[in-house]
């Protein structure tokens, strides 16, 4: 879509940029009440009152134009590259009205770049409730820009902001904030002259950041470096001088335009809640209590809708068998596609409930408190609190979580976080865990309120966090790095969750799960059905001839004979041959050749495991007795021992394997993209595979 004007949203972390972006564009970009939600620029479109189309670019949150991490460096690069087609025509600086002093530092820097600017004063409702009064007209007059009060969460002031964008000047009209040329006058003048730059603050920024700016040529960067030496430029001292000057300007500005009631200095409700939720003992107890409640609810609340989905697929499979002519096509549709899909779609209610809880915890601001509490624990294993954001985000999916490590400044901390984040239990593991737990863990209450299945699921999630911490500690001893990390986070105020955001998150995540998993599962199910329905040579004919003899037809009941033939054909199919070939390697883990096939098919995506098992047991099963995947696997018997295939030892061995194995091609690709080196994903794949095998082996040998 071609836009008439390009608008960049710039602001501190957690000032509501993504919420404003969604309000302007109508998109559903992920939002949350904690810093670091946006780690890359996002683009959407907005219709303006004058009929023009605006391209809205949401940039990562940053406290200043001096980047401390990879995500923050994006902001200055976008604003400074004047030759790029992505350079914004207008910048909307979002300020948290309840914390203007901190937010205005970034504004003064952006304003001095002399790009046309509009100020959006967000969270006006919080400022008012906090006893803060802002004289918006005087504020705008002193800045020399259009200032629009808004409350993005409540969609208040959005139309006026669109009007302001519509009628914004193409020229930068803002007042100068500080006299930049006094900081390094000779250097700024020479850079401006040689590179034909009129703006002194832009020239000063090039002196500070030329080593990291991709739009500068090597020759230009070297020349700036040379000029720095000639003029004895010291970057840190210059930044300190600039920051002091800017805060002097900000203090004068706020003194004349903002009034804070005396009573506003009293302890806030958020602070009083924090004394309990972030307590060094009670805080962790409450956190684990919330986790236990969450996983109890996942089992308890999803039971009825899961039953409905199971019944729906059983009914549809029955219709297919009853109304379509018998033959390979009907078998492919019923035993391949429908069985594979039903094995995964049945877990949609659990996925939706998981993401509803995560969305509520993020939106209320509680997740930021968890990050704060975990910082102490992270420091003991050589990480810092910023590593907790990706780790907690890993409960949903490792891919965006690994991308969010861009907020970590320290190279060693960032690499360790990338390496251990896939150990955290993601939503793709949930179908495997719940299926295995439902097969072997009794659905009984303990201590009145807890359910054994919920406790088992909680244990798997806690295990994933513990394993990530332990592996991080080991990697801390292996990786060498001299930088020291630090963690500074401004805790957001507690807020009621936005229920429309919670519902949208549930819908979006469930849809993504269905679409992403569904495409792979249909393809895998079709291929698998072909491999399981046909065999090499004339093996199937020999089986038919063998069981057509009177010694079988007269002594074995017809239903049993049909099942025996189907089982023997499956073992002699292409899939059976493949499974048997790898069985010696996985037998010590308690896995048979059928599970081996599922391990192969789920190599690229863990959730395919359940769909594969559903397809295999459908091909092996009785077409006249259609069952859900859980029923099929629960009734499966070991042909040698006659005992159930999925015993406690096998089920927990499987869960341990999937808890540690890197069965996700998307994560491997993301790790490569973030590290730019194949050795990192290769090392990650190798150590996780070894861990998975060893721990699965120990689990099976102890429990069998």
């Amino acid at each position: 879509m071609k836009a008439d004007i390009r608008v960049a949203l710039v602001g501190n972390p957690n000032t509501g940029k993504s919420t404003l972006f969604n309000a302007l564009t109508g998109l559903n970009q992920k939002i949350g009440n904690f810093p670091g939600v946006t780690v890359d620029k996002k683009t959407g479109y907005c219709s303006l009152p004058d009929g023009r189309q605006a391209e809205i670019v949401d940039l990562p949150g940053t406290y200043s134009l001096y980047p401390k991490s990879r995500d923050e460096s994006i902001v200055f690069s976008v604003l400074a590259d004047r030759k790029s087609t992505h350079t914004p025509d207008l910048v909307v600086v979002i300020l948290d009205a309840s914390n203007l002093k901190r937010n205005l530092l970034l504004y003064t820097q952006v304003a001095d770049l002399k790009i046309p600017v509009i100020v959006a004063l967000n969270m006006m409702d919080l400022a008012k409730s906090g006893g803060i009064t802002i004289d918006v007209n005087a504020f705008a007059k002193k800045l020399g820009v259009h200032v629009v009060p808004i409350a993005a969460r409540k969609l208040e002031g959005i139309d006026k902001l669109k009007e302001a964008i519509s009628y914004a000047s193409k020229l930068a009209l803002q007042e100068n904030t500080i006299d930049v040329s006094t900081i390094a006058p000779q250097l700024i003048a020479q850079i401006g002259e040689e590179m034909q730059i009129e703006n002194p603050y832009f020239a000063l920024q090039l002196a500070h950041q030329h080593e990291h700016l991709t739009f500068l040529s090597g020759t230009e960067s070297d020349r700036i470096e040379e000029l720095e030496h000639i003029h004895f430029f010291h970057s840190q001292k210059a930044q300190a001088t600039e920051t002091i000057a800017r805060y002097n300007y900000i203090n004068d500005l706020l003194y004349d335009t903002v009034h804070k009631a005396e009573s506003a200095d009293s302890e806030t409700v958020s602070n009083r809640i924090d004394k309990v939720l972030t307590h060094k003992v009670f805080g962790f107890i409450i956190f684990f209590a919330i986790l236990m409640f969450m996983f109890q609810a996942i089992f308890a609340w999803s039971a009825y809708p899961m039953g409905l989905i199971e019944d729906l697929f059983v009914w549809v499979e029955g219709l297919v068998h009853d109304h379509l002519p018998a033959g390979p096509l009907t078998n492919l549709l019923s035993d391949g596609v429908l069985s594979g899909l039903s094995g995964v779609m049945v877990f949609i209610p659990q996925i939706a409930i998981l993401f509803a809880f995560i969305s509520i915890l993020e939106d209320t601001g509680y997740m930021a408190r968890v990050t704060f509490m975990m910082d102490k624990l992270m420091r003991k294993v050589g990480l810092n609190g910023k590593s907790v954001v990706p780790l907690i985000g890993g409960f949903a999916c490792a891919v965006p979580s690994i991308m969010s490590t861009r907020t970590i400044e320290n190279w060693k901390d960032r690499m360790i976080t990338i390496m251990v984040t896939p150990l955290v239990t993601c939503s793709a593991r949930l179908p495997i865990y719940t299926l295995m737990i439902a097969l072997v863990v009794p659905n009984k209450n303990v201590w009145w309120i807890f359910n054994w299945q919920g406790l088992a699921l909680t244990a798997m999630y806690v295990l994933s966090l513990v394993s990530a911490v332990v592996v991080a500690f080991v990697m801390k001893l292996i990786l060498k790095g001299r930088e020291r990390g630090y963690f500074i986070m401004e805790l957001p105020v507690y807020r009621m969750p936005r229920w429309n955001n919670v519902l949208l998150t549930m819908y979006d995540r469930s849809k993504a799960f269905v679409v992403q998993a569904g495409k792979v599962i249909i393809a895998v199910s079709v291929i698998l059905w072909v491999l399981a329905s046909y065999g090499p040579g004339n093996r199937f004919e020999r089986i038919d001839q063998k069981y057509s003899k009177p010694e079988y037809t007269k002594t074995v009941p017809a239903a049993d004979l049909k099942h025996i033939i189907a089982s023997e054909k499956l073992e002699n199919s292409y899939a059976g041959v493949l499974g048997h070939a790898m069985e010696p390697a996985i037998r010590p883990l308690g896995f048979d050749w059928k599970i081996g096939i599922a391990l192969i098919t789920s190599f690229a995506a863990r959730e395919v495991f359940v769909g594969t098992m559903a397809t295999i047991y459908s091909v092996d099963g009785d077409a006249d007795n259609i069952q859900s995947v859980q029923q099929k696997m629960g009734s499966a018997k070991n042909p040698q021992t006659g005992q159930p295939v999925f015993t406690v030892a096998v089920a927990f061995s499987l869960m341990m394997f999937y808890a540690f194995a890197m069965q996700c091609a998307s994560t491997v690709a993301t790790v490569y993209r973030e590290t730019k080196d194949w050795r990192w994903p290769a090392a990650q794949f190798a150590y996780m595979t070894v861990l998975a095998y060893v721990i699965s082996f120990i689990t099976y040998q102890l429990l069998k």
Side-chain angles (χ1 to χ4, degrees):
M1 183 183 294
K2 187 176 180 181
D4 301 301
I5 181 173
R6 181 175 294 110
V7 181
L9 304 183
V10 174
N12 285 186
N14 209 37
T15 52
K17 283 189 305 81
S18 297
T19 304
L20 178 60
F21 175 80
N22 289 345
L24 289 171
T25 62
L27 298 176
N28 295 316
Q29 185 64 39
K30 175 180 170 59
I31 52 179
N33 188 18
F34 67 97
V37 170
T38 306
V39 294
D40 204 349
K41 63 185 180 192
K42 309 293 183 193
T43 303
Y45 292 88
C46 165
S47 296
L48 299 176
D50 61 0
R52 291 187 299 161
Q53 284 287 322
E55 180 183 341
I56 310 294
V57 183
D58 182 19
L59 295 174
T62 181
Y63 291 104
S64 84
L65 288 183
Y66 296 112
K68 298 291 187 296
S69 56
R70 284 188 61 197
D71 59 320
E72 290 184 357
S73 67
I74 295 172
V75 179
F76 182 70
S77 298
V78 170
L79 298 182
D81 190 359
R82 307 295 172 87
K83 297 175 185 176
S84 169
T85 55
H86 300 292
T87 304
D89 304 303
L90 175 70
V91 175
V92 174
V93 180
I94 297 102
L95 304 180
D96 177 355
S98 64
N99 197 347
L100 276 177
K101 188 171 184 177
R102 186 203 66 201
N103 282 231
L104 277 168
L105 175 65
L106 177 63
Y107 164 79
T108 59
Q109 292 177 321
V110 174
D112 285 342
L113 287 175
K114 295 305 177 186
I115 303 170
V117 171
I118 289 175
V119 168
L121 270 182
N122 195 20
M123 306 186 194
M124 287 295 287
D125 51 338
L126 286 182
K128 188 177 179 181
S129 63
I132 299 172
T133 306
I134 302 171
D135 185 341
V136 177
N137 291 331
F139 191 70
K141 189 175 179 181
K142 280 188 169 289
L143 296 180
V145 299
H146 199 147
V147 177
V148 185
I150 64 171
R153 283 172 68 102
K154 299 178 179 178
L155 301 180
E156 293 175 359
I158 304 302
D159 290 339
K160 288 185 178 178
L161 181 60
K162 288 182 180 179
E163 286 179 12
I165 294 172
S166 257
Y167 304 115
S169 170
K170 294 182 180 178
L171 301 175
L173 302 177
Q174 58 265 31
E175 299 287 343
N176 289 328
T177 60
I178 62 171
D179 187 0
V180 175
S181 60
T182 61
I183 297 175
Q186 294 173 326
L187 175 64
I188 290 173
Q190 195 159 358
I191 291 176
E193 181 183 344
E194 293 191 15
M195 302 188 70
Q196 298 182 335
I197 296 171
E198 296 180 357
N199 184 288
Y201 190 56
F202 184 55
L204 180 63
Q205 282 288 343
L206 291 187
H208 283 299
Q209 304 194 44
H210 65 92
E211 294 169 332
H212 310 293
L213 298 175
T214 55
F215 59 82
L216 289 178
S217 67
T219 306
E220 290 173 325
S221 182
D222 291 343
R223 178 55 183 163
I224 293 173
E225 184 71 29
E226 188 180 348
L227 291 176
E228 286 184 26
H229 290 293
I230 292 173
H231 296 290
F232 304 102
F233 179 71
H234 193 287
S235 180
Q236 289 186 338
K237 287 183 180 177
Q239 285 187 39
T241 303
E242 179 191 334
T243 303
I244 292 170
R246 292 194 180 284
Y247 272 110
N248 287 335
Y249 168 82
I250 292 168
N251 288 334
D252 291 341
L253 172 68
L254 297 180
Y255 183 81
D256 295 334
T257 58
V258 178
H259 174 70
K260 190 173 182 181
E262 294 297 326
S263 59
D265 290 330
S266 61
E267 192 172 39
T268 63
V269 174
S270 283
N271 286 345
R272 290 198 293 271
I273 297 174
D274 276 342
K275 285 185 177 178
V276 179
L277 294 188
T278 61
H279 189 273
K280 59 183 180 182
V281 177
F282 299 126
F284 283 98
I285 294 174
I286 293 171
F287 174 55
F288 285 110
I290 289 173
L291 281 185
M292 289 180 71
F293 175 76
M294 192 166 87
F295 297 125
Q296 296 283 332
I298 286 175
F299 266 106
W301 297 356
S302 64
Y304 185 69
M306 287 178 73
L308 289 179
I309 296 173
E310 279 183 349
D311 293 343
L312 174 66
F313 271 96
V314 169
W315 178 71
V316 172
E317 286 181 51
L319 279 183
V320 169
H321 275 291
D322 291 343
H323 293 85
L324 292 182
L329 188 60
T330 300
N331 291 338
L332 170 63
L333 185 60
S334 175
D335 301 338
V337 177
L338 285 175
S339 292
L341 281 178
S342 68
V344 174
M345 299 304 157
V346 73
F347 295 101
I348 289 175
Q350 293 183 333
I351 299 288
I353 292 171
L354 173 69
F355 280 105
F357 275 109
I358 291 175
S359 178
I360 291 170
L361 294 179
E362 288 179 349
D363 223 18
T364 54
Y366 180 72
M367 201 63 91
R369 272 72 185 180
V370 173
T371 305
F372 169 73
M373 287 192 301
M374 289 291 181
D375 178 53
K376 296 175 184 175
L377 181 62
M378 291 295 107
R379 286 187 182 283
K380 291 180 180 176
V381 297
L383 299 177
N384 66 52
K386 284 190 177 179
S387 302
V388 180
V389 175
L391 292 179
I392 297 294
F395 282 145
C397 179
V399 172
S401 300
I402 289 171
M403 290 174 65
S404 71
T405 60
R406 295 173 189 176
T407 61
I408 302 172
E409 301 89 353
N410 184 297
W411 173 84
K412 181 178 174 181
D413 288 358
R414 180 166 183 261
M415 296 313 300
I416 292 177
T417 308
I418 288 175
M419 294 297 279
V420 303
T421 295
L423 288 170
V424 177
T425 296
C426 63
S427 58
R429 290 179 171 106
L430 186 61
I432 302 169
Y433 289 171
T434 53
L435 178 60
M436 291 298 120
I437 289 171
L439 284 174
V440 300
V441 178
N443 183 18
K444 294 181 179 177
N445 284 353
V446 57
W447 302 322
W448 297 286
I449 57 174
F450 298 115
N451 179 282
W452 278 115
Q453 293 184 337
L455 289 174
L457 188 60
T458 305
M460 292 305 299
Y461 275 77
V462 172
L463 172 69
S464 71
L465 283 177
V466 172
S467 62
V469 169
V470 171
V471 173
F473 179 73
V474 174
M475 287 190 173
K476 171 197 166 189
L477 304 176
I478 298 172
L479 289 182
K480 303 298 180 186
R482 294 181 178 178
E483 299 172 83
R484 294 192 64 181
Y486 59 91
F487 177 53
I488 301 173
M489 171 180 273
E490 183 182 1
L491 295 180
V493 296
Y494 289 103
R495 292 179 173 177
M496 285 295 293
R498 287 160 285 191
W499 297 111
N500 60 337
N501 180 47
V502 174
L503 292 174
L504 278 173
T505 302
M506 292 171 67
Y507 170 75
D508 283 344
R509 296 295 181 174
S510 300
K511 180 183 171 186
F513 176 76
V514 169
V515 172
Q516 291 174 7
K519 287 187 292 189
V520 179
I521 286 166
I522 288 177
V524 169
S525 298
V526 170
I527 295 170
L528 193 60
W529 179 85
V530 173
L531 292 175
S533 300
Y534 299 93
N538 60 349
R539 294 188 182 191
F540 279 24
E541 294 173 6
R542 291 206 302 267
I543 292 171
D544 286 333
Q545 290 173 0
K546 171 184 172 184
Y547 289 104
S548 63
K549 295 177 181 176
E551 58 190 277
Y552 292 104
T553 56
K554 293 184 178 178
T555 57
V556 181
D560 293 345
L561 186 60
K562 196 174 180 181
H563 180 69
I564 291 170
I565 294 173
S567 298
E568 195 159 328
K569 282 186 175 179
L570 182 60
E571 280 203 67
N572 285 276
S573 67
Y574 290 108
V577 171
L578 180 65
H580 280 296
M582 68 178 295
E583 194 171 22
I586 59 174
R587 177 55 71 186
L589 312 183
F591 305 159
D592 64 9
W593 60 273
K594 292 179 183 176
I595 297 175
I597 294 171
L599 293 181
I600 293 174
T601 57
S602 62
F603 179 78
R606 299 179 181 96
E607 55 269 40
V608 176
F609 171 85
V610 180
T612 299
M613 296 306 288
T615 301
I616 290 174
Y617 279 98
S618 291
V619 173
D620 189 25
D622 185 356
D624 298 329
N625 183 22
I626 299 171
Q627 298 174 308
S628 66
V629 60
Q630 185 178 326
Q631 291 170 324
K632 292 168 188 170
M633 293 172 69
S635 59
K637 303 287 185 187
N638 185 320
Q640 278 79 42
T641 64
Q643 298 298 313
V645 172
F646 293 93
T647 60
V648 172
V650 172
F652 275 89
S653 175
L654 251 179
M655 286 196 286
M656 289 300 155
F657 186 87
Y658 277 98
F660 291 96
M662 170 62 92
Q663 302 276 102
C664 182
S666 300
T667 301
V668 173
T670 304
V671 172
Y672 168 68
R673 192 175 66 178
E674 293 298 312
T675 60
K676 307 295 183 190
D677 190 338
W678 274 113
R679 286 177 294 182
W680 288 106
Q684 191 177 42
F685 179 83
Y687 97 77
M688 290 183 68
T689 303
V690 171
L691 265 183
Y693 192 93
V694 171
I695 295 177
S696 178
F697 173 80
I698 294 172
T699 303
Y700 178 70
Q701 297 301 325
L702 288 176
L703 295 178
K704 73 176 182 180

